[in-house]
Amino acid sequence: MAETVTRIAELTEKLEAIVGTTRVLRDDAVLERYGRDTSHGPPQKPDVVVLAQTTEEVQRTVQLANQYRIPVTPRSSGVGFYGAGIPEQGGIVIDMSHMKKIRRVDPRNRWALYEAGVTYGELQTELAQHGMRPIMPLLPHPEKSAITSCLEREPRLSTKHHLDETILTMEMVLPTGDLFHTGSMSVSAAPPEKIPEEAHSDLCNFMGPGIDWFRLIPGSLGTYGIVTVMNTKIAFIPTRQKVVFIGFKTLEQCVEPCYYILRKLIGDECFILNNRHMAEILAQDPDDIPSIAAKLPPFIVVLNLTADAWFPDEKIAYQEQALREASRIFQFIVLDHLPYVTDAAQTISRLLYQPWHNSEYWKFRAQGASKEIFFLTQLQRAPEFLTVVHERAAVHGYPRDAIGLYLQPKQNGRAFHMGVNFPYNPSDPDQQAWVEALFLDASKALVQHGAFFYRIYGPWADLVYSQTGNLHITLKRIKKILDPNMIMNPGKLGF
Ligand SMILES: Cc1cc2nc3c(=O)[nH]c(=O)nc-3n(C[C@H](O)[C@H](O)[C@H](O)COP(=O)(O)OP(=O)(O)OC[C@H]3O[C@@H](n4cnc5c(N)ncnc54)[C@H](O)[C@@H]3O)c2cc1C
């Protein structure tokens, strides 16, 4: 014990020599905060926190962690919902949230280069000055790092296949402390923002050289390296937008119309919410969520018709015409507003290209917390998976109408992200245990029915790896090559 204390004190001194005394934190209350995220899962305090501001500081901290054989966990915003950034084995947390520079924006080639601590809110404000916007998930948490959101492969709101993956090139620190560049950033050792001038590289190519290195890190939860700078695709803010809704009584009824709409490329954004999630977004007062939900159609397809500066009226008009044709074929009604929430179209239209505006996150508004299960599927199988969820909820006595549902088409409908949420009151331990049991049981049932869990958090690791042959052994072998001392975020992904 005394030996450990001396070792940590010695390490702290060395860290202070790297970043200065004010950016090395040991205060117990601070360590406590870094031992949690919004998941309400088991906390674990780190021994020390380093607030990094430069890539060199990250590199030197990781090198020191190797020297001391002590775990090191990157954390970019710590709003993670499932404990991915909690330092399961203590050690050093490198807080990247102070790496705040947006280093370069290239509107013509539609990319932005920025550091790991830049939040969606900050990126959106900067890009708006160029008439551009980040390509975001649906209403992300405002404090979330845009880089971790890309690394975590959160589904993007756009249905267009070329926007589904937003990462272009990356600068990262490998678990050995070595610096690594991916794609066309790799042609020069210059700071990434200077590469276009110094090496005439456009920073637009994510592939190669040789292997597609940009795929090494997404989904690895900070176990294969720490991304310090990334450039990602960005998009123009449309000059015109028109949000419309299509209400359905059952999820089955959404299937064929959605396939048709997506194949015809109608609208830039398209997604399905159930009445509960829609009410969580629209309600002014969280107490009104159940009553608003009860008045809405059970399943709502949201479509955002957009146009740019060229022939905007014509573009909106031909999309409306195509929708009218679809409504004739599939016998649905296109709504400009939702029943009882007359300003829904304006509200959704305003919110779509922004992070969530309020500190009370929309999925948590009803009860204070929510447990989510998500996976990939095809739309025609979604109703079957929803039935599995409803069956498991019934077994656990969880009310069906409290469950939130979100379906996000990817690649114009070739695949769908499906997410179900179970809200609960985090200050009631019985409710927490109840929802945890439902979450585990429903996750298991969904996996057994063929739901594809592609992002592996916490208890999902055993569930998924038990089915995937030698995948986990291979991942561990790669881990051992990249991280010979096994110091980077140990415990995650079953490492
Ligand atoms: C089931 C589920 C549902 C979710 N739903 C939503 C939602 O509706 N809305 C929403 O906004 N978010 C949601 N999230 C959270 C989201 O997907 C990510 O967890 C979040 O983007 C992580 O952001 P963060 O910056 O807070 O993470 P952090 O906790 O900082 O980091 C996440 C992981 O990445 C690693 N990491 C951090 N920084 C770096 C870096 N620079 N380089 C390499 N690795 C790094 C960490 O070690 C950690 O493992 C959900 C998550 C889960 C699991």
Side-chain angles (χ1 to χ4, degrees):
M1 179 69 183
E3 198 192 328
T4 315
V5 173
T6 321
R7 221 170 126 251
I8 299 291
E10 191 185 293
L11 172 73
T12 305
E13 262 181 42
K14 293 195 178 168
L15 290 170
E16 284 172 351
I18 297 172
V19 298
T21 48
T22 53
R23 289 196 280 121
V24 177
L25 313 177
R26 290 286 313 277
D27 187 68
D28 211 47
V30 174
L31 298 182
E32 183 77 30
R33 188 158 49 79
Y34 280 90
R36 302 173 183 277
D37 60 9
T38 51
S39 66
H40 305 284
Q44 171 62 55
K45 278 195 300 190
D47 295 294
V48 55
V49 174
V50 173
L51 308 180
Q53 281 181 349
T54 66
T55 301
E56 196 202 336
E57 289 172 358
V58 175
Q59 269 190 288
R60 291 180 62 195
T61 303
V62 171
Q63 282 158 358
L64 209 54
N66 274 286
Q67 208 179 311
Y68 277 77
R69 302 283 198 274
I70 191 168
V72 58
T73 301
R75 171 164 168 137
S76 288
S77 44
V79 292
F81 291 15
Y82 279 74
I86 291 178
E88 275 181 33
Q89 299 176 15
I92 307 170
V93 163
I94 305 188
D95 182 342
M96 310 287 289
S97 66
H98 295 251
M99 291 191 66
K100 282 278 180 217
K101 290 193 198 86
I102 298 172
R103 298 202 189 167
R104 195 162 174 152
V105 178
D106 182 341
R108 187 184 216 181
N109 297 302
R110 305 192 305 280
W111 57 259
L113 177 81
Y114 49 93
E115 297 181 348
V118 173
T119 64
Y120 270 131
E122 291 158 349
L123 190 58
Q124 188 225 349
T125 308
E126 172 66 25
L127 293 184
Q129 295 179 30
H130 301 267
M132 309 292 292
R133 61 183 175 88
I135 299 164
M136 291 190 298
L138 175 67
L139 302 173
H141 197 289
E143 294 302 317
K144 178 183 292 181
S145 143
I147 282 187
T148 41
S149 169
C150 295
L151 290 176
E152 301 277 277
R153 295 169 299 176
E154 287 193 279
R156 307 289 118 174
L157 200 50
S158 171
T159 61
K160 303 283 186 330
H161 72 279
H162 63 286
L163 297 178
D164 189 46
E165 274 181 332
T166 42
I167 298 174
L168 289 168
T169 64
M170 290 187 270
E171 172 189 89
M172 66 176 96
V173 174
L174 295 175
T176 48
D178 295 323
L179 198 62
F180 192 69
H181 284 174
T182 64
S184 54
M185 200 190 274
S186 65
V187 299
S188 168
E193 67 279 15
K194 299 206 172 124
I195 290 178
E197 281 79 31
E198 296 201 3
H200 307 293
S201 166
D202 52 16
L203 289 190
C204 281
N205 282 303
F206 48 89
M207 290 177 288
I211 290 169
D212 289 347
W213 296 106
F214 83 104
R215 296 193 188 275
L216 187 67
I217 297 292
S220 73
L221 297 180
T223 59
Y224 280 9
I226 302 180
V227 177
T228 43
V229 184
M230 187 187 275
N231 81 321
T232 57
K233 297 171 194 172
I234 55 176
F236 287 102
I237 299 172
T239 47
R240 276 196 60 190
Q241 254 180 279
K242 181 170 181 187
V243 167
V244 295
F245 307 101
I246 311 167
F248 293 99
K249 285 209 175 88
T250 67
L251 189 53
E252 283 83 352
Q253 289 170 350
C254 301
V255 174
E256 290 312 322
C258 274
Y259 275 127
Y260 180 92
I261 286 167
L262 289 162
R263 210 172 53 236
K264 291 247 172 185
L265 307 179
I266 305 171
D268 245 26
E269 281 80 24
C270 170
F271 52 95
I272 303 171
L273 294 175
N274 73 349
N275 48 358
R276 176 73 189 200
H277 262 351
M278 185 58 96
E280 284 164 352
I281 294 170
L282 294 178
Q284 301 279 343
D285 182 340
D287 290 342
D288 296 337
I289 290 171
S291 59
I292 292 179
K295 288 169 188 156
L296 294 174
F299 300 91
I300 303 158
V301 176
V302 181
L303 263 181
N304 187 29
L305 313 180
T306 66
D308 283 326
W310 302 278
F311 303 103
D313 294 339
E314 287 84 346
K315 188 170 176 208
I316 297 283
Y318 79 62
Q319 292 178 86
E320 286 178 320
Q321 167 67 20
L323 257 186
R324 272 196 296 277
E325 257 170 62
S327 72
R328 263 199 308 276
I329 298 169
F330 296 101
Q331 299 290 302
F332 60 71
I333 298 170
V334 180
L335 303 168
D336 288 337
H337 59 264
L338 288 173
Y340 304 100
V341 197
T342 44
D343 60 351
Q346 292 90 316
T347 308
I348 297 286
S349 178
R350 183 167 44 79
L351 293 181
L352 268 188
Y353 295 144
Q354 292 178 16
W356 182 247
H357 48 283
N358 184 316
S359 59
E360 198 184 36
Y361 193 56
W362 63 279
K363 288 183 185 170
F364 301 163
R365 292 182 79 198
Q367 302 231 34
S370 177
K371 202 87 186 161
E372 178 166 335
I373 302 178
F374 60 71
F375 49 89
L376 288 180
T377 182
Q378 296 150 343
L379 187 56
Q380 89 265 11
R381 293 205 64 203
E384 174 194 334
F385 289 126
L386 188 60
T387 304
V388 172
V389 170
H390 285 162
E391 279 168 7
R392 299 330 298 165
V395 168
H396 290 260
Y398 188 91
R400 182 189 283 210
D401 57 8
I403 301 172
L405 171 78
Y406 166 48
L407 276 151
Q408 177 62 56
K410 295 160 79 78
Q411 306 171 36
N412 281 322
R414 184 177 288 131
F416 279 72
H417 161 99
M418 177 163 174
V420 286
N421 267 264
F422 306 102
Y424 66 94
N425 175 358
S427 47
D428 178 343
D430 290 342
Q431 261 205 35
Q432 197 165 340
W434 175 47
V435 169
E436 185 68 32
L438 166 60
F439 167 82
L440 290 173
D441 183 26
S443 300
K444 208 163 158 186
L446 286 162
V447 168
Q448 277 162 2
H449 274 78
F452 180 58
F453 281 50
Y454 68 114
R455 291 163 59 191
I456 307 297
Y457 297 95
W460 288 344
D462 288 343
L463 206 60
V464 173
Y465 291 143
S466 62
Q467 293 201 322
T468 50
N470 66 359
L471 176 75
H472 196 221
I473 294 172
T474 311
L475 289 174
K476 277 184 162 168
R477 282 193 190 131
I478 298 171
K479 169 76 173 162
K480 192 73 192 151
I481 295 168
L482 292 171
D483 187 3
N485 295 320
M486 299 297 270
I487 48 124
M488 197 159 272
N489 207 354
K492 299 293 164 2
L493 295 174
F495 295 152

